[in-house]
């Protein structure tokens, strides 16, 4: 089954990207590939810029980044829409890194409903061009990275779609320690959300604004991450800082570190192991491929 490319008809980042589905949803062969505005197949992990409105080769922070007031906006790749249970994720070990349904022990993975919630309680996804290096021990948590792009919990009022690119404001971060690995969870809100200015209306405000305007949401987030693996027979997760959320400035520093680790990965300065670094747009990367090669990668995917 090959579906036509699906574009996002809204303004901003979504209008610049489209997705193409191969295989059946809720099956092992499902893949969601990405294209840019020129119709070229790209890697969402590597080719979509971290900073909104920036070029792929800009330094931190890019001078042309789109800002709201004094804030830099980040691109978020939505993997899992709010209230859904299928564990969708960027396939870091496949060329061009499509979104796929995670599989463990031969079975498709779904998160359990953690009472009183249904599925994921935010739009869940990742920041492109970031990487939590498994060979780097975090000075703060004392644990190594989890080998994935940094995760994002988008708390806006809209239910997003898998594969959607959303420009977000960063509000804070939670430090989950998952099976001995550091797994940062960025808390963010879509810049176009009706509640964005209310929650984040001042340049010096931080995660405490979420407590004011969305009471109980942060507490539910801690509970969810602590318990979501328990139905699978695993122990509760733990957190650095005793589950305390760190503010926006702290979160942005974490993002910068993971972006630097990603740059080292894409320029072959560190060993990425099984991570696939194939890209189309990253200037100077030895893993950069041609438009024709990228098209061949997608067309070679077997559809059952």
């Amino acid at each position: 089954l090959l579906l036509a490319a699906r574009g996002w008809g809204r303004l901003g980042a979504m209008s610049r990207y489209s997705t193409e589905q191969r295989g059946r949803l809720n099956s092992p062969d499902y893949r969601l590939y990405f294209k840019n505005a020129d119709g070229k197949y790209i890697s969402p992990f590597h080719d979509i810029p971290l900073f909104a409105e920036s070029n792929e080769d800009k330094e931190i922070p890019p001078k042309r980044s789109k800002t709201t007031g004094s804030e830099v906006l980040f691109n978020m790749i939505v993997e899992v829409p709010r209230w859904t249970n299928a564990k969708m994720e960027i396939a870091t070990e496949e060329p061009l890194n499509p979104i796929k349904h995670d599989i463990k022990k031969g079975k498709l993975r779904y998160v359990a409903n953690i009472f009183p919630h249904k599925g994921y309680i935010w739009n869940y996804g990742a920041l492109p061009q970031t990487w939590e290096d498994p060979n780097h021990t975090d000075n703060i948590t004392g644990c190594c990275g989890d080998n994935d792009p940094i995760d994002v919990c988008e708390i806006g009022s809209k239910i997003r779609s898998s594969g959607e690119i959303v420009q977000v404001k960063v509000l804070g971060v939670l430090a989950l320690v998952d099976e001995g690995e550091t797994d940062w969870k960025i808390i963010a809100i879509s810049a176009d959300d009706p509640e964005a200015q209310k929650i984040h209306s001042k340049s010096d405000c931080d995660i405490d604004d979420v407590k004011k305007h969305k009471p109980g949401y942060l507490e539910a987030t801690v509970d969810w991450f602590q318990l979501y693996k328990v139905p699978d027979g695993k122990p509760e997760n733990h957190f650095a800082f005793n589950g305390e959320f760190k503010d926006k400035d702290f979160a942005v520093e974490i993002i910068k570190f993971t972006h630097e680790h990603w740059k080292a990965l894409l320029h072959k300065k560190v060993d990425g192991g099984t991570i696939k670094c194939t890209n189309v747009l990253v200037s100077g990367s030895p893993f950069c491929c041609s438009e024709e090669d990228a098209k061949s990668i997608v067309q070679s995917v077997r559809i059952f």
Side-chain angles (χ1 to χ4, degrees):
L1 174 66
L2 176 61
L3 299 184
R6 179 178 58 184
W8 305 108
R10 305 184 184 96
L11 296 176
M14 292 165 283
S15 63
R16 297 197 301 274
Y17 301 98
S18 61
T19 54
E20 181 176 295
Q21 178 179 325
R22 296 179 71 85
R24 295 175 294 106
L25 191 63
N26 297 315
S27 72
D29 57 296
Y30 173 83
R31 297 294 184 274
L32 193 65
Y33 285 92
F34 286 71
K35 289 182 177 180
N36 64 8
D38 297 324
K40 296 179 181 179
Y41 289 106
I42 60 169
S43 161
F45 187 2
H46 306 307
D47 290 317
I48 294 176
L50 169 61
F51 294 94
E53 297 291 337
S54 71
N55 292 331
E56 288 75 13
D57 57 354
K58 293 291 181 181
E59 296 298 318
I60 300 176
K63 294 181 180 179
R64 296 180 60 191
S65 290
K66 184 175 180 180
T67 62
T68 300
S70 62
E71 293 179 289
V72 175
L73 300 183
F74 297 88
N75 285 321
M76 171 192 175
I77 303 162
V78 178
E79 296 166 304
V80 186
R82 180 189 281 112
W83 310 138
T84 62
N85 299 73
K87 193 175 187 306
M88 312 301 293
E89 62 179 18
I90 292 171
T92 59
E93 298 183 0
E94 295 183 15
L96 295 183
N97 316 113
I99 289 178
K100 69 172 185 177
H101 198 143
D102 189 27
I103 297 176
K104 193 164 187 177
K105 296 181 179 179
K107 295 183 179 180
L108 299 174
R109 292 185 67 188
Y110 297 87
V111 298
N113 294 321
I114 304 299
F115 182 84
H117 309 296
K118 169 67 172 70
Y120 287 77
I121 63 174
W122 344 257
N123 296 301
Y124 191 70
L127 294 181
Q129 298 189 340
T130 63
W131 179 53
E132 297 189 60
D133 186 350
N135 298 310
H136 172 77
T137 300
D138 192 282
N139 292 332
I140 300 169
T141 65
C143 299
C144 60
D146 73 346
N147 205 30
D148 285 324
I150 198 167
D151 296 320
V152 185
C153 302
E154 194 279 316
I155 65 171
S157 57
K158 299 178 183 177
I159 297 177
R160 303 291 180 167
S161 300
S162 185
E164 194 169 348
I165 310 301
V166 181
Q167 294 179 352
V168 298
K169 295 180 179 183
V170 167
L171 304 174
V173 64
L174 178 68
L176 177 67
V177 178
D178 187 356
E179 299 183 19
E181 298 176 335
T182 302
D183 193 2
W184 296 103
K185 305 297 182 183
I186 299 295
I187 307 301
I189 188 168
S190 173
D192 67 359
D193 193 90
E195 296 182 323
Q197 294 304 316
K198 181 171 65 174
I199 290 179
H200 212 199
S201 57
K202 307 185 295 298
S203 61
D204 60 347
C205 67
D206 56 26
I207 195 69
D208 288 337
D209 281 0
V210 179
K211 298 177 183 178
K212 297 176 185 176
H213 300 290
K214 287 182 173 287
Y217 209 162
L218 296 182
E219 293 82 357
T221 294
V222 172
D223 288 343
W224 196 95
F225 280 120
Q226 184 175 2
L227 299 173
Y228 82 102
K229 289 187 176 181
V230 172
D232 295 329
K234 293 185 177 181
E236 295 182 1
N237 280 323
H238 300 284
F239 307 90
F241 316 116
N242 294 316
E244 173 192 353
F245 287 84
K246 293 299 184 179
D247 65 16
K248 175 190 69 175
D249 291 339
F250 188 103
V252 170
E253 287 303 309
I254 296 299
I255 293 169
K256 287 181 179 181
F257 280 124
T258 59
H259 183 55
E260 290 301 317
H261 290 158
W262 169 84
K263 287 199 292 185
L265 174 69
L266 264 287
H267 290 87
K268 218 170 185 178
K269 294 180 179 179
V270 295
D271 181 9
T274 57
I275 295 288
K276 288 294 187 292
C277 299
T278 309
N279 68 85
V280 180
L281 301 172
V282 181
S283 177
S285 171
F287 302 102
C288 195
C289 73
S290 68
E291 178 181 353
E292 291 73 22
D293 288 339
K295 186 175 181 180
S296 296
I297 288 171
V298 177
Q299 292 180 341
S300 68
V301 174
R302 296 178 63 189
I303 302 175
F304 298 93

